[in-house]
Amino acid sequence: MSANSADTARMVEVVLVKAGRTKIRYPAELLQDDGTRIVVRAPFASGAVRDFGFVRFEPGDVFTEYYWRDRWYSVKELRDPVGTLKGWYCDIARPAAFADAELVVEDLDLDLWRSADGQDVRRLDEDEFEESGLTERDPAAASAAVAALDELERLAREGGFDELLV
């Protein structure tokens, strides 16, 4: 299914779950669902600035978010209100589940940032991942999460990252 025109625009609810609880829920416009990859667009879901030091999420920013049913990550393209690309924030997560206009993704704590120019690629929250206890609770999921982060970092540094989003 593709929803690329205003006539076919469909709203969905994105639900990010962490440690068994809903972390955030927000409406998004479904842009595409090809059966494997789901693409949505949503404004920044907070009224307050989030300053990470290397990037600021600000009111008016727009995220185009790419989720997969068969991959352990999502990629969120971030643009400012006038459309200037800031970069990509990638969450390591279990494969997405999409049913009844609800897109549910379980965050596994690991993240990756890639700046708009591709020069700044950084792994994030590895300490949170270690503290989460996932390695002990679900070793297979922990292994898949680390492998996904390694894959994204390799694509971001060596090439192939942009092809994920085409």
Side-chain angles (χ1 to χ4, degrees), residues 92-131:
I92 304 304
R94 291 184 192 270
F98 187 37
D100 301 324
E102 190 172 79
L103 176 60
V104 180
V105 182
E106 183 181 348
D107 184 346
L108 298 176
D109 293 308
L110 293 171
D111 300 301
L112 182 89
W113 168 255
R114 181 180 188 234
S115 62
D117 64 7
Q119 298 302 305
D120 182 9
V121 176
R122 57 179 75 202
R123 295 166 75 110
L124 304 167
D125 303 330
E126 290 178 296
D127 55 337
E128 288 181 30
F129 178 74
E130 289 301 319
E131 293 167 8

Side-chain angles (χ1 to χ4, degrees), residues 139-161:
S143 178
V146 170
L149 181 62
D150 291 344
E151 176 188 353
L152 274 176
E153 182 179 24
R154 181 185 56 74
L155 291 170
R157 292 185 187 283
E158 298 172 14
F161 185 85

